[in-house]
Amino acid sequence: MKNYQISHQDRVIEYEVVHRPKVTRCIHLELAEHGALQVVAPRRMSKRLIQSTMQEWADYVARFLQAEQARRRDIPVFRFVSGEQHLLMGKSYPLDIRETARKRASVELVDGFIKIRAPVCDPEEIRARLIDWYRRTAGQLFFERLAAFCQVAPWTIEKFPVMRLRLMKRTWGTCSAKGVITLNPHLVKAPPECIDYVVAHEICHLKEHNHSRAFYHLQQQLYPGWRAAKAELGKRGHIYLESRVAPVPAGRVKHR
């Protein structure tokens, strides 16, 4: 991918240009997995216009890059070995990984440990087991919270919403025009109040499918603590959403 440059004070900032079908009007900035600054732009926008815009907003670009690089340093790097800390509902729990002769693997939270028992315990296998466990745990917990909020949301009485789970990179939840609520399993790593905020937020969208004054009035009634929870997700959400897998030597890693 070709690199472009702008100047800011005494430094040069390099960036890449990428296009996505849904981006049709404005450009926005991202920090790619490999650490490069990316400008996501409409396909019809010329490179010259992108360049001039980036240079005009060089101060903002520099601040964005600094903030995103700081956030990236916060993102945990996992090796998926015993003793490593993993989040569940805002708390950290160490992994307890052991090989078992049983063909069926198990993952459960017991005595303050996330206990994983599996016939194969290499990092990729443990990672897959954890992802599946997070999804199952999220499904049960989110449904319980959805049901609890629906009991005090009169607009859901006639039709209980359909709930789905989907791993998303930047979104906690969505509500379709047909009333289907989709939630991100990564949210189960966040504190309970953050989970409640997202669930309540999407339930409010069943009645007000917008972010109007009426929507926020409804959200305030359904979950008065939403502002603090939203602020927490804004501050630490990238930690719940993202993780990096540390490179490991080739070969099988044993856990005893």
Side-chain angles (χ1 to χ4, degrees):
M1 187 175 292
K2 184 177 179 180
N3 286 345
Y4 301 87
Q5 297 180 345
I6 60 171
S7 59
H8 178 257
Q9 297 178 355
D10 59 348
R11 63 182 292 201
V12 172
I13 299 176
E14 293 190 344
Y15 66 91
E16 303 170 348
V17 176
V18 297
H19 303 283
R20 298 200 186 113
K22 291 184 178 180
V23 178
T24 59
R25 296 181 62 188
C26 303
I27 66 174
H28 67 265
L29 306 180
E30 293 180 0
L31 194 65
E33 290 293 330
H34 57 285
L37 175 64
Q38 290 188 336
V39 178
V40 184
R43 190 168 296 277
R44 294 183 179 181
M45 184 174 288
S46 69
K47 299 297 191 296
R48 179 178 295 180
L49 179 56
I50 294 171
Q51 174 72 17
S52 63
T53 302
M54 289 288 286
Q55 188 61 64
E56 181 181 355
W57 290 87
D59 284 343
Y60 171 81
V61 173
R63 291 196 302 271
F64 170 87
L65 189 57
Q66 183 179 16
E68 287 302 306
Q69 288 173 339
R71 284 163 61 93
R72 181 62 60 88
R73 288 192 290 270
D74 290 340
I75 297 172
V77 180
F78 291 134
R79 295 185 298 131
F80 300 98
V81 296
S82 286
E84 188 173 70
Q85 299 283 329
H86 286 255
L87 287 166
L88 178 69
M89 296 182 68
K91 296 182 179 180
S92 292
Y93 298 94
L95 299 182
D96 177 6
I97 304 170
R98 300 193 185 178
E99 290 187 358
T100 178
R102 301 178 191 173
K103 292 184 178 180
R104 187 174 182 179
S106 64
V107 183
E108 56 184 344
L109 182 63
V110 180
D111 299 328
F113 289 85
I114 301 176
K115 295 188 176 182
I116 302 177
R117 303 293 182 261
V120 178
C121 290
D122 62 72
E124 281 302 318
E125 179 70 15
I126 298 304
R127 179 174 180 268
R129 299 294 180 190
L130 268 176
I131 290 174
D132 180 66
W133 177 71
Y134 273 126
R135 181 182 285 272
R136 287 186 284 107
T137 304
Q140 179 179 348
L141 175 62
F142 295 172
F143 185 83
E144 290 174 357
R145 300 312 300 150
L146 185 72
F149 276 111
C150 283
Q151 288 182 352
V152 291
W155 59 93
T156 65
I157 292 176
E158 294 184 1
K159 186 178 180 181
F160 190 85
V162 175
M163 188 192 82
R164 294 176 181 169
L165 299 178
R166 188 177 70 185
L167 289 170
M168 296 176 278
K169 290 185 177 181
R170 299 177 183 84
T171 306
W172 296 114
T174 63
C175 179
S176 73
K178 294 182 178 180
V180 176
I181 291 176
T182 301
L183 299 171
N184 192 336
H186 285 307
L187 182 62
V188 79
K189 302 172 190 176
E193 56 269 24
C194 295
I195 297 171
D196 280 356
Y197 156 62
V198 174
V199 172
H201 184 97
E202 301 309 329
I203 288 176
C204 290
H205 275 316
L206 293 170
K207 185 174 183 181
E208 297 288 342
H209 209 78
N210 50 55
H211 287 110
S212 63
R213 183 177 298 181
F215 168 83
Y216 286 110
H217 177 72
L218 202 64
Q219 183 173 246
Q220 180 67 23
Q221 289 182 314
L222 190 62
Y223 190 58
W226 68 270
R227 287 185 176 86
K230 182 180 180 180
E232 167 66 15
L233 283 178
K235 182 179 178 181
R236 292 178 52 83
H238 61 291
I239 297 174
Y240 310 134
L241 277 173
E242 302 180 58
S243 64
R244 290 178 284 173
V245 181
V248 296
R252 185 174 173 183
V253 178
K254 293 186 177 181
H255 302 260
R256 299 186 183 279

